[in-house]
């Protein structure tokens, strides 16, 4: 049996909103002479958004997806090696210093910078806060996302309560890729393989069964289309089983901009009022009393009235914040808050003017909630902060989550696994972890450079063409020489004719001539010589490693060194070098023939 009880305003309750502003906004009407201008402005607001910048980024994801996925997997291959280093007592890996590990990681995976980043993962997990628990849940990839070429770039470890977002991007130069690994630690995390039932029993059920006369709130926070409403529905569908035999009073309303609507009274508009202790009440809302077995049917009917629309991101996107309050007889009160999801600009291209205004109101309330998150975090660190609770209807309702020391709050951040949604996923995790001082100190990130193209030589270096050399120089040593421009007509055979000293002098002369032409004014002779020798030695070492990979490579290097030593000896004795066609170091004095005796 369901009993309806109307909630009347109590004495001493004052309006939570400015009634004058509400009246003005409700009754203001454009004068007839402004109608044409108003229509033109609304048409402009509803215009198409230029999403070319986003699509270029999207295309870069698809073009380089395989390289980015390999880099993502390489991070965890390196982690396995480091786990053996830290945990094993008998393996030789135990004796390696982290600086050696950096060189190994750089050689094998091109991610030497990730060693210190991974070593920091071994910090112990903090004890959960008794009043504020932060968790995350990752949804699985959807069929249309797989069909469009998306991949899972969010790694979850439930054992370590860790989420790692792998943000791969094309550098603005277009010559290399950047992979940024961003680690977030929460009180608990759930991967896409966790069922709704397991999530409820592990995360929400302990909060419900341990109320003991107190109040609690579960907030579902995240981007639209990440599973907030799905998880919200899964929770209230199962809560009745844990409350068998109990009587439950239900209040269910939605916040849409500056207005509130009762979902138990056919979306009747209701008002928020605050009492002298700043506790917010919903004036005019119905409170229905039901037994636990009737709860799912009651809430299902109310949810049918909730405001939702099809958007470019989500075919059934919630356009309001839904708040379900369950007052459980003899146990306490728990609130489930399903927030409207955030969206990016390019996902609002085809919205009408009214939809744009609704979208702005949603973002305004979410920004106010983020500001409250930040203020609460500063207060927890014993810093001065003022939380803007009155900035929106949403933060007014949730004020007790931040101000009542006995109120327990569970914040769930739902995240998408796709690369396209990664910006929103990292932002959601950042905002949620800010609520805990201990969790925020465990955030970390690491950026590594990746070669833009993979070059796997199928022929020896001495048979390479100019194109092969160009591709090799951009990828060798994880793209270390990606900005280097070699002299023209450099083939693989020509590379072998340059020793370490020869390459060093080549780069030194190149920079010296550039300085003489007015290029690179900051270079002086000493700096040019030092940089030239350093680059030359590094390139020569890379050439030598590549040569030694092939049969006869060692013999060719030995012969090249012998010929160069002979020609250097002739030069030092003041003798003429062999004709240019027979000279081994044909590029040794590239562009500076005045240094060669016998040349004009």
């Amino acid at each position: 049996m369901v009993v309806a009880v109307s909630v009347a305003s109590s004495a001493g309750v004052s309006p939570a909103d400015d009634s004058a502003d509400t009246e003005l906004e409700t009754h203001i009407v454009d004068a007839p002479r402004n109608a044409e201008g108003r229509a033109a402005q609304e048409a402009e607001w509803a215009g198409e958004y230029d999403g070319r910048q986003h699509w270029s980024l999207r295309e870069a994801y698809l073009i380089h997806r395989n390289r980015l996925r390999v880099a993502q997997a390489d991070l965890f291959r390196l982690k396995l090696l480091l786990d053996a280093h830290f945990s094993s007592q008998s393996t030789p890996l135990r004796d390696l210093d982290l600086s050696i590990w950096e060189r190994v990681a750089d050689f094998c995976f091109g991610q030497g910078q990730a060693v210190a980043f991974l070593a920091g993962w071994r910090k112990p997990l903090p004890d959960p806060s008794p009043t504020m628990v932060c968790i995350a849940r990752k949804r699985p990839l959807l069929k249309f996302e797989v069909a469009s070429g998306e991949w899972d770039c969010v790694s979850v470890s439930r054992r370590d309560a860790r989420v790692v977002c792998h943000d791969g991007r094309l550098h603005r130069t277009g010559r290399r890729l950047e992979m940024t690994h961003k680690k977030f630690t929460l009180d608990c995390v759930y991967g896409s393989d966790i069922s709704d039932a397991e999530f409820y029993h592990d995360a929400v059920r302990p909060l419900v069964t341990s109320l003991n006369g107190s109040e609690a709130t579960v907030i579902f926070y995240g981007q639209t289309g990440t599973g907030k409403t799905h998880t919200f529905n899964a929770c209230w569908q199962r809560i009745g089983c844990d409350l068998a035999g109990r009587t439950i009073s239900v209040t269910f309303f939605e916040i849409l901009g500056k207005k509130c609507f009762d979902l138990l009274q056919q979306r009747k508009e209701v008002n928020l009022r605050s009492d002298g202790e700043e506790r917010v009440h919903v004036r005019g809302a119905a409170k229905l009393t039901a037994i636990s077995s009737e709860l799912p049917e009651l809430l299902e009917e109310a949810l049918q009235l909730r405001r939702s629309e099809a958007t470019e991101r989500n075919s059934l996107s919630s356009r309001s914040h839904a708040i379900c309050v369950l007052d459980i007889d003899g146990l306490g009160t728990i609130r489930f808050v399903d927030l409207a999801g955030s969206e990016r600009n390019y996902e609002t291209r085809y919205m009408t003017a009214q939809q744009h205004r609704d979208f702005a109101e949603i973002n305004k309330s979410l920004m106010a909630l983020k500001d409250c998150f930040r203020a609460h975090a500063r207060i927890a660190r014993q810093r001065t902060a003022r939380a803007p609770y009155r900035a929106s209807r949403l933060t007014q309702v949730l004020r007790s989550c931040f101000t009542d020391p006995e109120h327990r709050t569970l914040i769930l951040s739902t995240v998408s696994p796709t690369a396209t949604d990664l910006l929103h996923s990292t932002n959601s995790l950042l905002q949620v972890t800010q609520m805990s001082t201990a969790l925020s100190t465990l955030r970390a990130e690491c950026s590594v450079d990746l070669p833009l193209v993979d070059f796997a030589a199928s022929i020896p270096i001495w048979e390479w063409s100019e194109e092969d050399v160009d591709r090799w120089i951009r990828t060798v040593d994880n793209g270390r020489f990606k900005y280097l421009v070699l002299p023209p007509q450099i083939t693989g055979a020509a590379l072998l004719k340059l020793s370490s000293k020869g390459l060093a002098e080549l780069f030194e002369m190149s920079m010296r001539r550039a300085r003489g032409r007015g290029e690179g004014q900051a270079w002086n002779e000493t700096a040019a010589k030092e940089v030239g020798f350093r680059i030359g030695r590094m390139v020569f070492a890379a050439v030598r490693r590549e040569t030694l990979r092939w049969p006869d490579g060692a013999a060719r290097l030995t012969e090249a060194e012998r010929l160069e030593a002979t020609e250097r000896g002739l030069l030092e004795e003041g003798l003429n070098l062999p004709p240019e066609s027979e000279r081994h170091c044909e590029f040794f004095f590239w562009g500076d023939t005045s240094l060669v005796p016998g040349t004009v």
Side-chain angles (χ1 to χ4, degrees), residues 255-258 307 317-321 339-343 351 355-369 392 394:
I255 299 175
L256 184 61
K258 297 180 180 179
R307 175 76 174 274
S317 177
S318 300
R319 299 287 86 192
S320 66
H321 308 301
L339 301 178
S342 58
E343 293 172 306
M351 283 186 175
Q355 287 175 323
H356 274 294
R357 284 192 287 270
D358 293 342
F359 171 70
E361 288 292 344
I362 290 173
N363 282 350
K364 179 181 177 181
S365 61
L366 291 176
M367 286 299 298
L369 182 60
S392 74
L394 175 65

Side-chain angles (χ1 to χ4, degrees), residues 565-577 597:
T566 300
E567 292 178 8
R568 282 186 177 276
L570 293 174
L571 181 62
E572 291 172 358
E573 294 175 8
L575 302 177
N576 291 336
L577 293 174

Side-chain angles (χ1 to χ4, degrees), residues 276-521:
E277 298 179 354
E278 295 294 334
R279 295 180 63 87
V280 176
H281 306 268
V282 187
R283 183 179 181 182
K287 180 179 288 188
L288 303 186
T289 302
I291 59 176
S292 58
S293 60
E294 298 171 331
L295 185 63
E297 182 180 357
L298 176 64
L299 296 181
E300 184 70 41
E301 293 177 0
L303 281 171
Q304 298 298 323
L305 300 174
R306 186 183 179 188
R307 175 76 174 274
S308 62
E309 292 179 350
T311 65
E312 294 169 65
R313 182 64 184 83
N314 187 0
S315 60
L316 194 62
S317 177
S318 300
R319 299 287 86 192
S320 66
H321 308 301
I323 301 175
C324 178
V325 183
L326 304 180
D327 189 358
I328 307 166
D329 181 36
L331 194 58
T333 302
I334 186 168
R335 294 183 298 190
F336 292 95
V337 182
D338 180 22
L339 301 178
S342 58
E343 293 172 306
R344 293 160 294 203
N345 279 345
Y346 87 95
E347 294 169 339
T348 65
R349 292 182 298 161
Y350 302 113
M351 283 186 175
T352 64
Q354 181 59 46
Q355 287 175 323
H356 274 294
R357 284 192 287 270
D358 293 342
F359 171 70
E361 288 292 344
I362 290 173
N363 282 350
K364 179 181 177 181
S365 61
L366 291 176
M367 286 299 298
L369 182 60
K370 291 178 183 179
D371 290 339
C372 289
F373 282 174
R374 297 188 187 102
H376 183 274
R378 289 183 62 86
I379 293 172
R381 297 182 179 93
Q382 297 183 346
R383 299 179 183 176
T384 303
R386 178 183 176 275
Y389 301 120
R390 300 180 67 86
S392 74
R393 299 292 185 268
L394 175 65
T395 49
Q396 285 178 294
V397 172
L398 297 181
R399 178 169 184 162
S400 59
C401 296
F402 306 102
T403 58
D404 186 353
E406 302 298 325
H407 193 107
R408 290 187 294 167
T409 304
L410 174 68
I411 304 178
L412 168 65
S413 173
T414 55
V415 297
S416 164
T418 66
T420 303
D421 294 330
L422 199 62
L423 179 62
H424 269 291
S425 298
T426 54
N427 183 60
S428 297
L429 293 168
L430 176 64
Q431 298 299 334
V432 169
T433 53
Q434 278 185 340
M435 295 297 297
S436 168
T437 303
L439 297 181
S440 61
T441 58
L442 293 177
R443 289 197 304 263
E445 67 177 56
C446 169
S447 296
V448 296
D449 290 344
L450 306 173
L452 188 60
V453 294
D454 289 325
F455 178 68
S458 58
I459 55 176
I461 184 173
W462 49 86
E463 297 180 11
W464 287 358
S465 64
E466 296 177 41
E467 292 76 15
D468 292 332
V469 172
D470 181 66
R471 292 181 62 195
W472 175 80
I473 203 70
R474 292 166 60 185
T475 60
V476 67
D477 287 358
N478 197 35
R480 171 181 288 179
F481 309 110
K482 52 187 168 288
Y483 297 120
L484 192 62
V485 179
L486 291 175
Q489 300 178 352
I490 287 283
T491 63
L495 279 178
L496 288 179
K497 294 182 179 182
L498 295 174
S499 68
S500 174
K501 187 174 182 181
L503 278 165
E505 294 184 7
L506 183 151
F507 291 120
E508 178 198 348
M509 293 174 189
S510 176
M511 287 186 289
R512 187 184 302 159
R513 285 192 308 278
R515 183 173 179 269
R517 292 194 299 266
E519 304 171 11
Q521 294 291 337

Side-chain angles (χ1 to χ4, degrees), residues 22-35:
T22 303
E23 289 295 318
L24 180 62
E25 186 175 334
T26 304
H27 295 101
I28 189 169
V29 178
D30 277 339
R33 64 179 180 274
N34 295 333

Side-chain angles (χ1 to χ4, degrees), residues 551-593:
D552 300 330
R556 286 179 176 270
L557 282 176
T558 301
E559 179 64 12
E561 291 172 359
R562 186 189 68 79
L563 291 174
E564 183 183 5
T566 300
E567 292 178 8
R568 282 186 177 276
L570 293 174
L571 181 62
E572 291 172 358
E573 294 175 8
L575 302 177
N576 291 336
L577 293 174
E580 187 173 350
S581 59
E582 302 176 8
R583 197 179 302 159
H584 169 69
C585 297
E586 57 181 302
F587 290 96
F588 182 78
F589 298 106
W590 171 71
D592 204 343
T593 55

